[in-house]
């Protein structure tokens, strides 16, 4: 299990949050989250919080966009045969669908080809290119792939076929000699939003060709953007925000049918619904079957046909889930056997090739290591594989230098796909073990993750969710804010899910609780064994039977450091505050400790047999009772720094129904003003003053003593008069006032606090900690 070190995102000051919130006319939670993300400029804040279509960038800012449009226009005008070559994941399927619909709107009748994961592998495939060439195509447009197809594209060019590459994947050392390469990171022509997905690039071409009419396709671009886990920054925020709005318009019959099958309410649809419900179903088609049906689904206008494909998709997705669970369980023995390896290379035991990427991803999350998951393909006689890597390790860079070992390879920093002969895989396994050290990646170190907000359970409400969602859509580059709940209990934990590995639990403090779900966390909940924990997660809404309830999605929970200290101290300290202590009970203690001489002398005259000691004397014995409370906390701090007894009962001679006077500045000023404006007031008439001002007589006596010590007033022949003080004095200069403050601190911490809070305070000083 990967260890996580949670660190708070940079903490703006309370003043900075308040000033920023006021300046931007936003609430404090939104202000804090924006400051933590470094979003402070007026235009940046406005764009981030209110992304809209006006912020879509000029599509001609993309490399070779003008060339691509000229080629497409010529092809359409000459009624050339156009083929679209896509990819089998959700980004590839939506890219293909966008390009197909765009060309159809312009009057073209393109054909499309989605590679078969099992027969064609990842990326350009020369055999498929040959088949397309034999069909007489005049133009090939690649979407979400192609930039790594130098040799394959050369074949088409040699046949006189024009090629437009539209892609977003990491660039190879040498680009293909295509007629146009539309890509956001071509050196010297970097696009303003370099994070575009394949579907994002395809949408920009639609934008250039169709203008405003392209907005009907932005919902498909949103799916590809979320599914491919590209950074939700800049224009990608606009694509996803507007795409979610567009989904509600039901422009695409097939997409509407899929959303309905996912049981997603259109009015509440979010990027999470895309990431966890819609995209996985589209991906499932390419993992277990041919993803061409996904393009048919997203481009059809036939409702009955759409329903057939959706039902088929649902069955395939359910089967995919079963295959993943089986394969991942089977992978555990290999993972353990490679415990000391920096890169895990897993060989499938009859694993379905379509789930290799998911197995690699889950193994990566579990072990915090780069993972290559492979399976022997009987049709081709080679190993097919998918790789995934954690943040901080560039998998594409690590593997690209060994490209000669692969028969096919492509991808980006955190994910790749490849084909390789089994003998070459053994070589690769040895070679890649040096890569983590080269990149300075320590797979043994705990994963450092950030959280955003320190809150209490009582702070979790629907208004908080509304504030957090002001920063949506969430994803790569803009993670959903993580909340830390400190020192809480995991109550009523129970296992859920088909395999019983998931956790349903209530997170509770002393007065409030909230439901929570933790995927794969049931076993961990058993290991913490009821200890007080610090919990990390994202707040959301669970709707069931028409009712909406708060629900925390758990990212992690760890035994609270403070809770561990408190549990240690609870074995040593006993809470006897406000209890009745008889002589018989006192006789059970070896020592009885006193802070006040008066109590000490009185106890010595009692019939108690226990040893009586002052707080500053040597205290021996296994069991002691602290009888009274000190007047100054520093005395108690010093005592517990040296208290090595096995058990200590805290009595403090306490009655919780009474307490010291807490000085009231306003009342003190009222009394002083009264004394200054009235003459001939005798000290023995202060009970009348108290009655007139509606003060307690004890309060008057205390305030008056402070005034005398500070020379605010003086006594003249029994009368209280204003003193001619030559300098301004602070209240704490009065010994009486200072002593009272010290006693109030004693009462607040030692007497009024609950036992856990008292022990928490003591943990900073107690020698047992």
């Amino acid at each position: 299990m990967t260890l996580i070190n949670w660190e708070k995102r940079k903490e703006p000051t309370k003043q900075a949050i308040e000033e920023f919130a006021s300046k931007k006319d936003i609430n404090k939670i939104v202000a804090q989250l924006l400051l933590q993300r470094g979003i402070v400029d007026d235009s940046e804040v406005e764009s981030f919080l209110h992304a809209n279509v006006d912020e879509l960038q000029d599509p001609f800012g993309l490399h070779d966009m003008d060339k691509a449009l000229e080629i497409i226009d010529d092809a359409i005008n000459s009624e050339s045969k156009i083929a679209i070559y896509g990819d089998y994941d959700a980004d590839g399927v939506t890219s293909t669908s966008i390009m197909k619909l765009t060309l159809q709107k312009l009057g073209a009748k393109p054909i499309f080809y989605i590679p078969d994961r099992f027969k064609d592998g990842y990326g350009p495939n020369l055999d498929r290119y040959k088949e397309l060439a034999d069909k007489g195509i005049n133009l090939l447009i690649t979407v979400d792939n192609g930039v790594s197809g130098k040799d394959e594209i050369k074949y088409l060019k040699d046949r006189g076929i024009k090629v437009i590459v539209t892609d977003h994947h990491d660039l190879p050392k040498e680009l293909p000699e295509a007629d146009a390469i539309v890509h956001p990171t071509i050196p010297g022509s970097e696009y303003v939003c370099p994070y575009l997905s394949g579907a994002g690039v395809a949408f920009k071409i639609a934008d250039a060709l169709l203008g405003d009419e392209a907005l009907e396709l932005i919902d498909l671009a949103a799916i590809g953007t979320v599914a491919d886990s590209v950074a939700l920054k800049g224009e990608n925020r606009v694509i996803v925000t507007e795409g979610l709005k567009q989904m509600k318009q039901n422009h695409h019959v097939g997409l509407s049918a899929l959303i309905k099958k996912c049981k997603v309410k259109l009015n509440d649809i979010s990027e999470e619904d895309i990431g966890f419900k819609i995209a996985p179903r589209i991906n499932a088609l390419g993992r277990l079957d041919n993803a061409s049906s996904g393009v048919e689904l997203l481009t059809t206008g036939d409702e009955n046909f759409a329903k057939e494909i959706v039902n088929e998709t649902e069955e395939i997705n359910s089967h995919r889930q079963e295959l993943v669970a089986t394969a991942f369980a089977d992978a555990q023995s290999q993972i353990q056997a490679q415990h000391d390896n920096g890169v895990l290379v897993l060989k499938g035991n009859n694993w379905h090739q379509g789930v290799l990427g998911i197995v690699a991803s889950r193994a990566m999350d579990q072990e915090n290591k780069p993972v290559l998951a492979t399976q022997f393909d009987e049709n081709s006689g080679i190993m097919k594989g998918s790789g995934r890597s954690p943040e901080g390790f560039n998998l594409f860079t690590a593997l690209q230098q060994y490209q000669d070992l692969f028969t096919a390879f492509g991808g980006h920093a955190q994910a790749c796909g490849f084909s390789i002969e089994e003998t070459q895989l053994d070589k690769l396994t040895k070679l890649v073990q040096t890569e983590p050290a080269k990149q300075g990646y320590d797979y043994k170190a705990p994963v450092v993750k950030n959280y955003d907000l320190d809150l209490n359970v009582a702070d979790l409400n629907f208004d908080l969710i509304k504030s957090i969602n002001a920063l949506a859509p969430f994803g790569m580059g803009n993670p959903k804010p993580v909340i830390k709940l400190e020192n809480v209990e995991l109550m009523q934990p129970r296992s859920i899910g088909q395999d019983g590995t998931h956790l349903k639990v209530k997170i509770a403090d002393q007065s409030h609780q909230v439901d929570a779900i933790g995927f794969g966390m049931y076993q961990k909940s058993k290991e913490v064994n009821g200890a007080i924990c610090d919990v990390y997660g994202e707040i959301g809404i669970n709707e069931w039977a028409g009712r909406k309830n708060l629900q925390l999605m758990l990212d992690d929970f760890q035994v609270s450091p403070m809770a561990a200290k408190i549990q240690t101290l609870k074995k040593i300290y006993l809470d006897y505050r406000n209890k009745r202590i008889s002589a018989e009970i006192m006789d059970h203690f070896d020592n009885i400790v006193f802070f006040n001489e008066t109590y000490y002398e009185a106890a010595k005259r009692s019939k108690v047999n226990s040893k009586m000691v002052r707080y500053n004397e040597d205290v021996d014995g296994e069991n002691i009772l602290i009888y009274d409370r000190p007047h100054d906390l520093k005395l108690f701090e010093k005592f517990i720094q040296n208290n090595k007894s096995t058990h200590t009962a805290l009595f403090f001679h306490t009655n919780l129904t009474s307490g010291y006077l807490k000085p009231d500045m306003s009342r003190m000023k009222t009394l002083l003003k009264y004394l200054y404006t009235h003459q001939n007031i005798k000290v023995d008439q202060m009970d009348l003053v108290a009655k007139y001002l509606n003060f307690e007589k004890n309060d008057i006596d205390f305030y008056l003593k402070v005034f005398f010590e500070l020379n605010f007033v003086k006594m003249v022949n029994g009368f209280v008069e204003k003193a001619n003080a030559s300098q301004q004095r602070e209240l704490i200069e009065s010994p009486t006032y200072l002593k009272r403050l010290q006693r109030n601190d004693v009462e607040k911490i030692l007497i009024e606090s609950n036992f856990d809070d008292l022990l928490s305070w003591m943990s900073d000083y107690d020698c047992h900690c």
Side-chain angles (χ1 to χ4, degrees):
M1 183 67 68
T2 301
L3 296 177
I4 302 174
N5 281 349
W6 288 93
E7 295 181 356
K8 182 79 174 284
R9 256 181 235 283
K10 68 177 183 179
E11 181 91 48
T13 64
K14 183 178 179 181
Q15 180 180 355
I17 293 172
E18 290 175 349
E19 290 177 354
F20 190 69
S22 176
K23 180 181 177 182
K24 305 297 183 186
D25 193 25
I26 53 181
N27 69 44
K28 293 178 183 178
I29 291 291
V30 176
Q32 178 177 340
L33 294 172
L34 289 174
L35 287 170
Q36 287 175 321
R37 284 159 169 72
I39 301 168
V40 294
D41 294 339
D42 289 347
S43 59
E44 192 178 11
V45 170
E46 178 64 24
S47 173
F48 196 87
L49 296 180
H50 306 291
N52 62 75
V53 291
D54 295 335
E55 295 174 64
L56 287 174
Q57 302 297 311
D58 181 0
F60 288 93
L62 277 161
H63 181 267
D64 279 356
M65 180 64 82
D66 52 347
K67 292 181 181 179
L69 260 63
E70 184 178 345
I71 295 168
I72 291 173
D73 283 340
D74 288 346
I76 292 174
N77 291 332
S78 63
E79 297 185 354
S80 297
K81 193 168 186 179
I82 303 173
I84 305 165
Y85 192 94
D87 192 23
Y88 44 67
D89 65 3
D91 191 21
V93 168
T94 51
S95 302
T96 306
S97 300
I98 290 168
M99 191 63 68
K100 179 186 177 188
L101 291 170
T102 298
L103 296 176
Q104 286 176 342
K105 286 176 181 289
L106 294 171
K109 296 180 180 179
I111 63 173
F112 72 89
Y113 185 81
I114 298 293
D116 188 294
R117 179 189 294 264
F118 317 109
K119 298 177 182 177
D120 305 327
Y122 173 80
N125 182 288
L126 184 58
D127 289 337
R128 300 293 86 77
Y129 277 20
K130 288 178 179 179
E131 289 177 5
L132 290 171
D134 291 342
K135 289 181 179 180
I137 67 168
N138 307 108
L139 170 62
L140 177 75
I141 303 175
T142 72
V143 289
D144 192 35
N145 79 98
V147 77
S148 62
K150 179 177 178 293
D151 295 336
E152 293 83 356
I153 289 172
K154 185 179 184 303
Y155 168 81
L156 293 180
K157 293 299 298 172
D158 290 343
R159 294 279 297 267
I161 298 170
K162 289 187 178 296
V163 179
I164 298 174
V165 171
T166 79
D167 201 352
H168 73 118
H169 290 96
D170 289 353
L171 298 174
K173 293 179 180 179
E174 191 174 352
L175 293 174
E177 296 179 2
D179 295 276
I181 300 176
V182 184
H183 193 290
T185 62
I186 298 291
S189 301
E190 291 88 349
Y191 185 59
V192 66
C193 181
Y195 328 106
L196 288 176
S197 65
V201 175
F203 172 74
K204 297 307 295 183
I205 292 178
D207 188 13
L209 286 167
L210 303 176
D212 290 344
E213 193 178 352
L215 289 175
E216 293 182 6
L217 307 173
I218 201 170
D219 49 0
L220 303 183
I223 295 172
T225 300
V226 173
D228 219 46
S229 298
V230 292
L232 287 186
K233 299 179 180 179
E235 193 170 22
N236 281 348
R237 289 183 61 77
V238 182
I239 289 173
V240 176
T241 301
E242 289 299 319
L244 289 169
K245 293 178 184 177
Q246 196 68 216
M247 286 182 194
K248 301 173 185 179
Q249 305 302 317
N250 293 319
H251 282 298
H252 303 293
V253 170
L255 178 56
S256 297
L258 181 60
I259 291 171
K260 186 176 181 180
K261 192 69 174 182
C262 294
K263 299 180 180 179
V264 172
K265 292 185 177 180
L266 272 178
N267 290 335
D268 299 323
I269 195 166
S270 71
E271 72 280 3
E272 290 184 344
D273 293 316
I274 294 176
F276 294 104
K277 296 179 180 179
I278 297 171
R281 286 168 167 80
I282 297 175
N283 276 325
L285 294 173
R287 293 187 185 282
L288 305 190
D289 199 34
N290 189 289
S292 297
S293 59
V295 178
E296 298 289 359
L297 173 66
L298 297 178
T299 58
T300 186
D302 186 327
E303 290 187 11
N304 291 328
F305 182 50
K307 288 179 181 178
E308 289 179 13
I309 299 176
V310 165
N311 290 334
E312 175 190 346
T313 302
E314 192 68 16
E315 292 178 6
I316 291 173
N317 188 52
S318 296
H319 185 42
R320 186 268 306 172
Q321 292 172 331
E322 295 171 0
L323 291 173
V324 169
T326 301
F328 187 58
D330 184 49
Q332 293 304 310
S333 59
Q334 293 185 57
I335 292 173
Q336 294 305 313
Q338 298 182 48
H339 179 267
D340 296 327
N341 288 2
V343 178
L344 300 179
V345 181
L346 309 176
K347 293 184 180 181
N349 180 16
N350 295 318
W351 299 345
H352 196 290
Q353 290 178 33
V355 302
L356 295 178
I358 302 177
V359 172
S361 181
R362 291 195 178 181
M364 177 200 72
D365 289 338
Q366 178 178 295
E367 301 298 319
N368 192 35
K369 296 178 180 180
V371 180
L372 305 179
T374 67
Q375 169 66 36
F376 183 74
D377 180 43
E378 293 182 356
N379 292 325
S380 63
I382 61 175
M383 304 293 289
K384 298 291 183 70
S386 288
R388 299 292 184 271
S389 68
E391 289 290 333
F393 184 85
N394 190 314
L395 188 61
F396 185 85
T397 299
L399 298 182
Q400 188 182 33
Q401 60 190 310
Y402 307 117
Q403 194 159 358
D404 290 346
L405 298 179
F406 298 103
T407 58
F409 169 73
H412 46 78
Q414 262 60 63
C416 71
F418 59 88
S419 299
I420 191 170
E421 292 181 2
E422 191 164 11
T423 55
Q424 300 290 61
L425 179 63
D426 294 335
K427 291 181 182 179
L428 180 68
T429 301
K430 295 177 182 178
L431 290 169
V432 296
Q433 301 309 324
T434 64
E435 293 303 316
K438 288 181 183 178
Q439 295 191 24
Y441 181 76
D442 184 2
Y443 60 87
K444 295 180 181 179
V447 176
V448 176
K449 290 189 177 183
N450 296 119
Y451 73 94
D452 302 82
L453 301 169
D454 283 295
L455 298 177
N456 298 312
V457 180
D459 298 323
L460 307 183
N461 53 49
F462 292 103
D463 287 338
L464 174 67
I465 294 176
K466 184 177 180 181
S467 295
I468 289 174
N469 285 343
L471 276 71
F474 300 111
M476 289 289 290
N478 181 41
K480 192 169 185 180
V482 176
I483 295 166
K484 178 182 180 182
L485 302 173
E486 196 172 59
N487 298 327
V488 292
E489 290 185 74
L490 276 60
M491 297 178 59
Q492 303 172 27
R494 60 188 180 91
S495 63
I496 59 172
Q498 290 184 347
D499 57 1
T501 60
H502 307 313
L503 172 68
K504 185 174 179 61
V505 68
K506 292 183 182 296
I507 306 299
D509 60 16
Q510 296 177 358
S511 55
H512 296 81
Q513 63 182 32
V514 64
D515 290 336
I517 295 289
F519 292 110
M521 292 186 178
Y522 179 68
Q523 181 59 37
K524 184 173 182 178
S525 72
K526 293 173 66 177
E527 292 169 2
V528 302
N529 195 28
I532 300 297
C533 290
D534 293 340
V535 166
Y536 303 86
E538 296 98 31
I539 191 63
I541 297 173
N542 177 40
E543 187 169 354
W544 178 256
R547 294 183 60 186
K548 293 184 177 181
N549 297 298
L550 297 174
Q551 180 174 272
L552 195 69
M553 298 302 297
L554 297 177
D555 293 310
D556 191 25
F557 50 85
Q558 301 171 351
V559 176
S560 165
M562 181 54 66
K565 289 182 179 181
I566 290 173
Q567 290 302 112
T568 297
L569 293 180
K570 277 186 175 180
K571 297 176 183 177
I572 299 163
Y573 290 94
L574 308 172
D575 190 5
Y576 274 40
R577 297 174 300 169
N578 214 31
K579 293 181 180 290
R580 291 183 177 275
I581 300 292
S582 64
E584 290 79 10
I585 293 176
M586 293 171 70
D587 275 341
H588 288 293
F589 293 95
D590 301 319
N591 287 223
I592 301 178
V593 180
F594 295 86
F595 284 88
N596 297 276
E597 193 68 23
T598 302
Y599 291 129
Y600 172 71
E601 293 297 335
K604 285 179 63 177
R605 295 192 294 270
S606 69
K607 297 181 180 180
V608 176
N609 296 318
S610 300
K611 182 181 178 182
M612 310 289 177
V613 296
R614 297 179 180 87
Y615 72 94
N616 54 358
E617 297 175 339
D618 290 336
V619 179
D620 53 13
E622 294 291 312
N623 305 300
I624 66 173
L625 170 72
I626 298 181
Y627 184 83
D628 57 347
R629 49 184 147 169
H631 294 306
D632 187 341
L633 280 175
K634 293 187 180 301
L635 298 178
F636 187 64
E637 292 170 10
K638 187 174 182 180
F639 176 81
I640 61 175
Q641 284 173 351
N642 300 300
N643 173 35
K644 295 182 173 61
S645 64
T646 304
H647 297 103
T648 299
L650 306 175
F651 177 47
F652 295 144
H653 193 59
T654 303
N655 182 348
L656 294 179
T657 61
S658 65
Y660 292 122
L661 162 71
K662 292 178 174 59
D664 187 320
M665 188 70 69
S666 175
R667 286 180 167 243
M668 293 181 78
K669 289 180 179 179
T670 299
L671 175 60
L672 189 61
K673 182 178 179 181
Y674 184 88
L675 296 176
Y676 280 2
T677 56
H678 291 76
Q679 299 179 351
N680 302 321
I681 301 177
K682 291 186 175 182
V683 174
D684 57 8
Q685 293 177 326
M686 285 299 158
D687 55 337
L688 298 177
V689 175
K691 185 175 182 181
Y692 177 78
L693 295 176
N694 196 28
F695 283 16
E696 293 291 335
K697 177 60 166 57
N698 288 340
D699 293 2
I700 293 286
D701 292 341
F702 169 71
Y703 296 150
L704 195 59
K705 188 174 182 181
V706 172
F707 296 159
F708 280 133
E709 290 177 352
L710 296 176
N711 201 28
F712 289 167
V713 296
K714 62 184 178 179
M715 182 81 70
V716 179
N717 299 323
F719 290 91
V720 178
E721 296 183 4
K722 180 179 179 181
N724 296 317
S726 59
Q727 61 182 7
Q728 192 170 355
R729 306 286 298 276
E730 298 290 337
L731 288 174
I732 58 173
E733 295 181 56
S734 161
T736 298
Y737 186 84
L738 182 60
K739 185 176 182 180
R740 182 55 54 85
L741 288 183
Q742 292 172 340
R743 291 189 176 188
N744 287 148
D745 286 341
V746 169
E747 180 160 312
K748 180 180 178 181
I749 293 175
L750 302 188
I751 309 303
E752 295 178 352
S753 62
N754 64 54
F755 197 44
D756 279 1
D757 289 342
L758 171 58
L759 294 179
S760 176
W761 175 85
M762 289 173 60
S763 68
D764 288 337
Y765 309 99
D766 189 86
C767 63
H768 300 91
C769 293

